[in-house]
Amino acid sequence: GIQVEQSPPDLILQEGANSTLRCNFSDSVNNLQWFHQNPWGQLINLFYIPSGTKQNGRLSATTVATERYSLLYISSSQTTDSGVYFCAEFYGQNFVFGPGTRLSVLP
Amino acid sequence: KAGVTQTPRYLIKTRGQQVTLSCSPISGHRSVSWYQQTPGQGLQFLFEYFSETQRNKGNFPGRFSGRQFSNSRSEMNVSTLELGDSALYLCASSFNVVTEAFFGQGTRLTVV
């Protein structure tokens, strides 16, 4: 099946800093989503981005399907951005998730 | 528009017991998928239901089962609980399984 890698595994930032999270896939990308898991465990949809670039406030994402990777950009980070960020690709009949990037934003 | 609702939020059970978790999808969504999240294994797919039919199942023992009702609400059941079943169980709702999915807040199950 498809393998999903995420980097970096952990990231610590000062409030106001920018960051880039990366997701690599071993197979073709068709239904990629980015999620933020909050401290209470809920997965919050950030982007549904099988290709191209999307922006939502301080967050943006780019997927280059032909090269099998996606990037999530967080600008002017805030403490509320802390949590784990997952990318997932729909493969077969279910989402396959990456291991996540744990982001800690310090005040 | 209401989101995905999972109940209960927290549950403590004893080894050997059984448990039933519930998921109410977003109105109009017919696909409900279940995932287990543990620190060691990450997020793993359990099963997916569409229009009351289980269409796909992950690599979990038969103690894990589920069903979907005509109103698209879904339940999953775990029988003969083991300590290793302690996890966050997440339900995802989508119009069809290949479209954008939305997750509930999860049910955190602790088996003691």
Side-chain angles (χ1 to χ4, degrees), chain A residues 31 33 37 45 90 93 95, chain B residues 35 37 56 97-98 101 105:
Chain A
N31 289 286
Q33 284 193 237
Q37 188 165 41
N45 287 47
F90 195 84
Q93 290 291 331
F95 276 105
Chain B
Y35 291 81
Q37 186 179 25
N56 196 29
V97 70
V98 296
Q105 293 178 298

Side-chain angles (χ1 to χ4, degrees), chain A residues 31 33 35 37 39-45 47-48 86 90 92-98, chain B residues 4 9-10 35 37 43 45 48 55-56 88 90 97-105 108:
Chain A
N31 289 286
Q33 284 193 237
F35 299 91
Q37 188 165 41
W40 298 273
Q42 185 171 11
L43 286 172
I44 308 296
N45 287 47
F47 295 101
Y48 175 69
F86 291 98
F90 195 84
Q93 290 291 331
N94 57 273
F95 276 105
V96 177
F97 286 82
Chain B
V4 183
R9 294 288 312 280
Y10 303 93
Y35 291 81
Q37 186 179 25
L43 280 147
F45 170 72
E48 186 256 345
R55 295 197 298 187
N56 196 29
L88 178 66
L90 291 161
V97 70
V98 296
T99 56
E100 187 176 8
F102 298 86
F103 283 79
Q105 293 178 298
R108 192 169 296 278

Side-chain angles (χ1 to χ4, degrees), chain A residues 42-77:
Chain A
Q42 185 171 11
L43 286 172
I44 308 296
N45 287 47
L46 296 177
F47 295 101
Y48 175 69
I49 186 165
S51 65
T53 298
K54 290 186 178 180
Q55 179 152 9
N56 184 5
R58 296 181 295 103
L59 274 60
S60 64
T62 295
T63 295
V64 184
T66 53
E67 296 189 22
R68 302 175 181 175
Y69 73 88
S70 184
L71 302 174
L72 178 69
Y73 306 95
I74 305 174
S75 64
S76 304
S77 58

Side-chain angles (χ1 to χ4, degrees), chain B:
Chain B
K1 184 170 173 178
V4 183
T5 303
Q6 288 189 246
T7 56
R9 294 288 312 280
Y10 303 93
L11 210 47
I12 300 175
K13 289 286 188 179
T14 304
R15 271 182 302 174
Q17 288 186 315
Q18 74 167 19
V19 66
T20 299
L21 313 181
S22 177
C23 172
S24 293
I26 292 170
S27 177
H29 286 189
R30 296 163 66 187
S31 173
V32 174
S33 300
W34 290 87
Y35 291 81
Q36 181 197 64
Q37 186 179 25
T38 59
Q41 299 297 319
L43 280 147
Q44 293 188 291
F45 170 72
L46 281 157
F47 27 65
E48 186 256 345
Y49 288 87
F50 184 87
S51 293
E52 302 180 66
T53 300
Q54 184 185 91
R55 295 197 298 187
N56 196 29
K57 191 178 193 310
N59 189 24
F60 279 83
R63 299 185 298 106
F64 291 81
S65 63
R67 59 178 174 169
Q68 186 179 34
F69 301 96
S70 58
N71 62 358
S72 294
R73 189 178 71 86
S74 177
E75 289 181 346
M76 68 163 281
N77 184 276
V78 188
S79 63
T80 318
L81 284 166
E82 301 177 358
L83 296 179
D85 297 333
S86 295
L88 178 66
Y89 290 88
L90 291 161
C91 157
S93 157
S94 58
F95 180 74
N96 194 339
V97 70
V98 296
T99 56
E100 187 176 8
F102 298 86
F103 283 79
Q105 293 178 298
T107 294
R108 192 169 296 278
L109 171 65
T110 301
V111 182
V112 297

